[in-house]
Amino acid sequence: MARRAPDRDIDEAELEVDHPKDAAAGLTAVGVTMKRAVEQMGVRRTARTLLRLNQADGFDCQGCAWPDPDPGHRHTAEFCENGAKAVTEEATLRRIDRDFFARHSLEDLAGKTDYWLGQQGRLTEPMVRRRGATHYQPISWDDAFAMVAEHLGGLGSPDEAVFYTSGRTSNEAAFAYQLFVRAFGTNNMPDCSNMCHESTSVALAEVIGIGKGSVHLEDVHRAELIVIVGQNPGTNHPRMLSALEIAKKNGAKIIAVNPLREAGLVKFRNPQTARGLSGVGTELADLHLPVRVNGDLALFQAIGSLLVQWDALDHDFIDAHTTGFEEWAAHVRDVDWAAVERATGLDRALIEEAAGMFRDSSATVLCWAMGITQHRNAVATIKEFANVTFAQGNIGKPGAGLCPVRGHSNVQGDRTMGIWERPPAHFLDALQAEFGFDPPREHGYDTVEAIRALRDGKAKTFFALGGNFVSAAPDTHLTEDAMRNAALTVQVSTKLNRSHAVTGDEALILPTLGRSERDRTGGHDQRVTVEDSMSAVHASRGPLKPASPHLRSEVDIVCSLAQAVLGDRHGIPWTEFRADYAAIRRRIANVVPGCAAYDEKVDQPGGFVLPHPPRDSRTFPTTEQKAIFTASPIDVLHVPEGRLLMQTLRSHDQFNTTIYGLDDRYRGISNGRRVVFVHPDDITALGLAGGQVVDLVSEWTDGSERRAPAFRVVAYEQPRGCAAAYYPETNPLVPLDSTAVGSNCPTSKSIIVRLEPELAGGGSSGHGGEHGQDEGHKSRVAPEQLS
Ligand SMILES: Nc1nc2c(c(=O)[nH]1)N[C@H]1C(S)=C(S)[C@@H](COP(=O)(O)OP(=O)(O)OC[C@H]3O[C@@H](n4cnc5c(=O)[nH]c(N)nc54)[C@H](O)[C@@H]3O)O[C@H]1N2
Ligand SMILES: Nc1nc2c(c(=O)[nH]1)N[C@H]1C(S)=C(S)[C@@H](COP(=O)(O)OP(=O)(O)OC[C@H]3O[C@@H](n4cnc5c(=O)[nH]c(N)nc54)[C@H](O)[C@@H]3O)O[C@H]1N2
Ligand code: SF4
Ligand SMILES: [Mo]
């Protein structure tokens, strides 16, 4: 029987806890960057690779979707510590060959952590797991494509196949992939967005008519007020701190809304300036609102209420460009302050101070990320951000706007290219006009629905273009069982991960080129294009020799597969696409809105910016051709006595399910990941002690319980009643059915848990794991405590 996800990390017993830091980056970041990079790539390769990163003629960082400055304003080292880690992870000299797979059975691999799996190195050749086999074996590319074609051909309907995408896929590969999948006959295209900014896309599409943010990088630099809600840029979008530093120098104020006082929001030591390296740094947040987890909807209604009460409104904008203002104003005027204080954990004076900063700003940028999107009421919260923004006319003018900060480097581009289980009719019409076939019109499965379909035997083939579906998805054990239910699972990947170990009856690993590598598909240098979080599209070309001569590009894999599955059906020129990606770009130009003359425009240094009507001209392509105010009831999650509301977040040493190391430097954690951060008074109230080992047990409304064993309690400042622990170790706790209303995004940031002391070996030192008040020493947790 295949193994469950391992419960403990390798060196968990070595956990060390220190004080959280009050500044991000600086010299330590430079040191960490270089050490990791040189360890895995050597000195020459490190220099060669990092100097091409994020340059106009280089390659796009595989890390997050934060935009690059204009070409004239880039540094020689235009990247952050975590960008360098992402590159190192891909450009490592470590390799996995067929002997590795001969040595390690699937069961053995399923017993390893994602950290261990990722550390083994780059995949080098296609591998197959045959029905009933205990190990993967080598397979030729042609046989692999034939195998997928045979499975797909044998399905009762195209809708029995699921085609997942993670957000690193280039625009060219994404466009070809969605074309293939729709020509095959289904819209079952779930993607990582479904677990990420889906709530944003849904909310913004409804109220401004386009599911993307409305600011340029220049707007962040010029804003008077920047509000950062539910986002930890110091770790997850580190170069955003450079933009915040510029804004501060231009006189901006910053409000951070976060249950945690994240180091990156407090102070930034810019490693690109002598000042930053010497340790001086720039103070960032002027005001920190330590909101209770999931309190943001109430908070923004209260802010809206005060703006209405103070008449701090842009009446011209409201009159000319919006609808629904009166209903919204009436709704927030009556806001129930007692409910607000309960939901937010903030007192009225603090909220008034924040609202006063909104009032005094004539150009506000509002940024958010996963702290907002992964809640039951996420869509309503984001619509509330829009309400407050409309009320002050903070959209479609310099220095202002809505700024959802995306995760994966090309997640926004993939959606633009049509990776979407609910494609709009105009997109399908354009596809039909260009390629002459009738694309399926029915909506496909999103991530959560795909898991249900696999579980229920309605989906039988699972294909993933990147990502690590079983670790990233909610309800790990259920998801793993669902995946094992499939007849065939296929992973197009650069590195080994848990989704290669938890498979269907038959499984394929198709190893692909990463973005740092030279792509000579068709016998000549190819480039790809990507879109960042601010709709800027540009080219990317990798400098490195590929990790193995057997790797193929994602475009090659998609086109070859399409040919094996579809042959000449619909007359789509897959060979031509594969031979020259410009042939794909010419089709993108004809199909995707805003992409006319695509191939020519991406040639310009720095690329081009996609149109965004609200940003560009204050036109709102909504049902009412206006920006739409909406009124949402405040709903406060009820947390039963003795339970905590837990969010799952990222450490400083991971990229999603890729674990770079076991440290979370800014939060003072070293050598371990199985920790749960709890307020010191809650630790006492629950009869626990810092350093104690507990099981996390989540409670879901249908009475079911889920357990993640062996987390060490760490005292950490945050609102009472809240807790935090790392993803993906906590994914077994997220019930599949617990999703955001309207977007179906798993509620990874609001899980009701109780902490159960471990019976054996869970003793406590009394102090281990606690951030003491005065002494600055590290407390090392005794290894025997983890027995
Ligand atoms: N180095 C690195 N970079 C990354 C990633 C990575 O894993 N590592 N992942 C990429 C991806 S795919 C994404 S989507 C982004 C994610 O970027 P973030 O959204 O910054 O990621 P999280 O770690 O999930 O952090 C969520 C933040 O929200 C706060 N928060 C949690 N609940 C609430 C709440 O209810 N209200 C408020 N106001 N705040 C809350 C948490 O305390 C935390 O600071 O980063 C991208 N960049
Ligand atoms: N509990 C909880 N769950 C969450 C979240 C959370 O905050 N809490 N966050 C959610 C979010 S925001 C996201 S975006 C998802 C992430 O979900 P995914 O995108 O599915 O996961 P990743 O960990 O980013 O995928 C990593 C794998 O991608 C492969 N890979 C890397 N580079 C490439 C490449 O260039 N090409 C190809 N083909 N493969 C490549 C590697 O094999 C690597 O192991 O997780 C979600 N899950
Ligand atoms: S901020 Fe994001 S995109 Fe920029 S270098 Fe860092 S990880 Fe890469
Ligand atoms: Mo994400």
Side-chain angles (χ1 to χ4, degrees):
M1 187 57 223
R3 300 258 280 272
R4 289 286 191 207
D7 290 333
R8 290 162 205 240
D9 262 317
I10 324 165
D11 22 16
E12 207 60 43
E14 297 287 309
L15 177 75
E16 282 178 15
V17 177
D18 196 0
H19 290 286
K21 305 289 175 286
D22 65 357
L27 206 52
T28 320
V30 178
V32 171
T33 303
M34 296 321 289
K35 181 168 175 287
R36 289 272 170 79
V38 171
E39 260 169 27
Q40 294 209 30
M41 298 194 280
V43 176
R44 272 187 53 211
R45 194 173 167 88
T46 298
R48 205 155 149 229
T49 315
L50 294 182
L51 291 176
R52 299 256 53 79
L53 184 54
N54 292 330
Q55 299 301 333
D57 57 348
F59 68 102
D60 186 62
C61 176
Q62 299 93 327
C64 74
W66 187 255
D68 302 313
D70 288 336
H73 293 96
R74 294 190 193 168
H75 295 90
T76 323
E78 192 58 60
F79 57 87
C80 70
E81 174 190 345
N82 282 342
K85 286 182 194 161
V87 174
T88 303
E89 183 74 18
E90 179 179 301
T92 176
L93 292 167
R94 298 177 191 162
R95 300 286 178 271
I96 293 180
D97 55 13
R98 53 178 72 183
D99 295 342
F100 172 91
F101 286 107
R103 281 196 309 276
H104 296 284
S105 67
L106 269 109
E107 193 186 349
D108 180 20
L109 296 175
K112 306 289 190 190
T113 60
D114 273 308
Y115 177 48
W116 188 92
L117 294 170
Q119 290 294 306
Q120 304 311 304
R122 287 288 297 278
L123 296 160
T124 51
E125 63 178 322
M127 302 297 295
V128 63
R129 184 252 173 128
R130 308 251 177 225
R131 188 170 292 114
T134 54
H135 289 70
Y136 276 103
Q137 305 157 349
I139 184 173
S140 74
W141 279 103
D142 284 346
D143 289 349
F145 295 134
M147 186 172 160
V148 184
E150 197 191 313
H151 270 271
L152 293 177
L155 295 176
S157 134
D159 290 329
E160 290 178 7
V162 168
F163 298 89
Y164 176 70
T165 317
S166 168
R168 230 174 239 190
T169 292
S170 67
N171 282 351
E172 286 76 2
F175 185 81
Y177 186 49
Q178 62 81 32
L179 177 62
F180 156 58
V181 172
R182 296 196 166 108
F184 171 65
T186 181
N187 282 317
N188 286 343
M189 301 201 77
D191 70 345
C192 65
S193 235
N194 296 148
M195 301 181 261
C196 184
H197 263 295
E198 196 66 61
S199 309
T200 299
S201 306
V202 169
L204 293 187
E206 181 184 332
V207 300
I208 66 170
I210 173 169
K212 297 182 184 182
S214 78
V215 303
H216 293 296
L217 190 50
E218 191 55 27
D219 293 314
V220 177
H221 296 165
R222 291 167 63 174
E224 287 177 29
L225 175 66
I226 301 168
V227 189
I228 302 167
V229 201
Q231 190 203 348
N232 180 23
T235 284
N236 297 315
H237 307 91
R239 280 190 313 157
M240 180 174 173
L241 302 190
S242 307
L244 297 178
E245 187 179 44
I246 295 173
K248 285 294 281 200
K249 293 215 167 101
N250 291 338
K253 295 256 187 280
I254 296 178
I255 302 178
V257 184
N258 201 309
L260 309 181
R261 190 170 170 273
E262 305 281 26
L265 294 168
V266 179
K267 189 189 251 189
F268 174 45
R269 299 201 183 110
N270 191 340
Q272 264 142 5
T273 63
R275 191 181 140 84
L277 281 180
S278 71
V280 178
T282 304
E283 306 285 338
L284 293 178
D286 298 272
L287 183 67
H288 173 217
L289 301 182
V291 68
R292 271 179 58 87
V293 167
N294 196 38
D296 306 271
L297 174 59
L299 173 64
F300 278 79
Q301 285 203 7
I303 291 172
S305 175
L306 292 165
L307 295 176
V308 170
Q309 186 190 322
W310 298 335
D311 196 26
L313 304 168
D314 182 340
H315 290 285
D316 291 344
F317 177 83
I318 293 170
D319 294 345
H321 299 292
T322 72
T323 168
F325 172 74
E326 287 308 333
E327 294 82 345
W328 172 73
H331 175 68
V332 294
R333 224 178 258 125
D334 286 343
V335 78
D336 175 353
W337 275 96
V340 168
E341 293 190 2
R342 256 199 327 277
T344 62
L346 303 169
D347 62 33
R348 185 168 176 159
L350 198 57
I351 298 176
E352 284 186 348
E353 189 181 343
M357 289 167 74
F358 275 83
R359 178 195 56 212
D360 298 342
S361 159
S362 61
T364 300
V365 168
L366 210 163
C367 307
W368 71 92
M370 295 305 103
I372 296 306
T373 61
Q374 299 174 332
H375 292 289
R376 194 180 147 68
N377 58 5
V379 173
T381 305
I382 295 159
K383 292 202 285 190
E384 209 58 53
F385 293 170
N387 290 336
V388 168
T389 298
F390 302 153
Q392 294 193 288
N394 272 319
I395 188 164
K397 71 176 187 192
L402 293 161
C403 182
V405 185
R406 304 268 162 182
H408 267 296
S409 53
N410 198 38
V411 63
Q412 186 159 317
D414 291 346
R415 196 44 83 76
T416 305
M417 294 298 128
I419 303 288
W420 199 356
E421 76 285 355
R422 289 172 293 134
H426 66 77
F427 186 91
L428 297 177
D429 294 343
L431 213 55
Q432 183 163 15
E434 180 69 16
F435 294 99
F437 71 91
D438 202 359
R441 299 274 163 173
E442 245 172 61
H443 289 173
Y445 298 136
D446 63 18
T447 291
V448 165
E449 291 161 346
I451 296 167
R452 288 191 189 120
L454 287 161
R455 177 193 63 191
D456 301 340
K458 291 183 188 150
K460 301 192 170 80
T461 307
F462 179 88
F463 186 100
L465 192 57
N468 179 5
F469 192 85
V470 299
S471 286
D475 229 338
T476 311
H477 301 323
L478 186 157
T479 296
E480 292 190 346
D481 290 343
M483 202 52 81
R484 291 190 169 110
N485 232 0
L488 173 70
T489 52
V490 187
Q491 303 288 336
V492 179
S493 317
T494 50
K495 301 278 294 261
L496 194 62
N497 64 44
R498 196 161 171 77
S499 300
H500 305 115
V502 179
T503 70
D505 279 348
E506 297 193 282
L508 284 164
I509 300 177
L510 305 180
T512 189
L513 289 175
R515 214 181 273 162
S516 59
E517 289 164 316
R518 208 165 157 198
D519 181 351
R520 299 213 19 107
T521 307
H524 61 104
D525 282 329
Q526 304 265 12
R527 56 183 179 163
V528 293
T529 53
V530 291
E531 176 185 345
D532 63 34
S533 199
M534 296 184 181
S535 307
V537 180
H538 63 90
S540 172
R541 198 199 300 258
L544 297 179
K545 188 174 160 214
S548 143
H550 308 300
L551 301 184
R552 294 207 183 177
S553 73
E554 291 187 341
V555 172
D556 184 347
I557 293 170
V558 169
C559 293
S560 304
L561 178 64
Q563 210 160 27
V565 174
L566 302 173
D568 289 336
R569 212 194 307 170
H570 310 314
I572 301 169
W574 301 109
T575 323
E576 195 187 311
F577 286 172
R578 189 173 46 202
D580 183 5
Y581 303 174
I584 304 179
R585 287 189 283 273
R586 288 193 288 273
R587 302 307 191 103
I588 290 174
N590 296 341
V591 172
V592 181
C595 289
Y598 190 74
D599 196 37
E600 295 75 32
K601 283 195 286 194
V602 294
D603 241 352
Q604 305 157 17
F608 73 103
V609 179
L610 284 164
H612 187 287
R615 177 197 66 205
D616 301 337
S617 58
R618 291 190 156 180
T619 45
F620 296 88
T622 58
T623 44
E624 320 209 13
Q625 301 299 312
K626 299 252 180 177
I628 303 176
F629 278 97
T630 49
S632 311
I634 296 184
D635 60 342
V636 185
L637 266 180
H638 173 67
V639 183
E641 193 58 32
R643 301 335 186 233
L644 300 172
L645 188 55
M646 190 179 82
Q647 55 147 323
T648 60
L649 39 55
R650 291 154 171 81
S651 84
H652 193 61
D653 232 358
Q654 70 183 91
F655 191 92
N656 299 340
T657 69
T658 299
I659 311 301
Y660 302 134
L662 301 175
D663 298 346
D664 191 6
R665 198 167 76 240
Y666 300 151
R667 299 195 186 103
I669 299 295
S670 322
N671 279 323
R673 292 183 48 87
R674 294 189 84 85
V675 293
V676 55
F677 299 105
V678 184
H679 190 284
D681 295 345
D682 282 326
I683 296 181
T684 312
L686 293 170
L688 300 169
Q692 191 168 353
V693 179
V694 296
D695 286 358
L696 305 179
V697 184
S698 75
E699 300 177 355
W700 177 233
T701 48
D702 64 3
S704 60
E705 292 190 348
R706 289 163 177 77
R707 182 176 298 263
F711 284 72
R712 197 170 293 275
V713 176
V714 170
Y716 203 95
E717 196 53 43
Q718 65 196 298
R720 289 291 305 269
C722 300
Y726 300 130
Y727 134 73
E729 286 80 353
T730 44
N731 287 43
L733 299 171
V734 187
L736 185 67
D737 294 336
S738 178
T739 62
V741 179
S743 71
N744 217 20
C745 179
T747 59
S748 312
K749 294 286 189 280
S750 35
I751 313 173
I752 292 174
V753 293
R754 63 171 196 271
L755 274 40
E756 274 190 8
E758 276 216 330
L759 294 178
S764 143
S765 67
H767 295 288
E770 219 161 317
H771 295 304
Q773 298 287 39
D774 38 24
E775 72 281 284
H777 66 266
K778 284 186 179 178
S779 63
R780 179 132 189 182
V781 176
E784 61 272 20
Q785 288 185 329
L786 261 184
S787 67

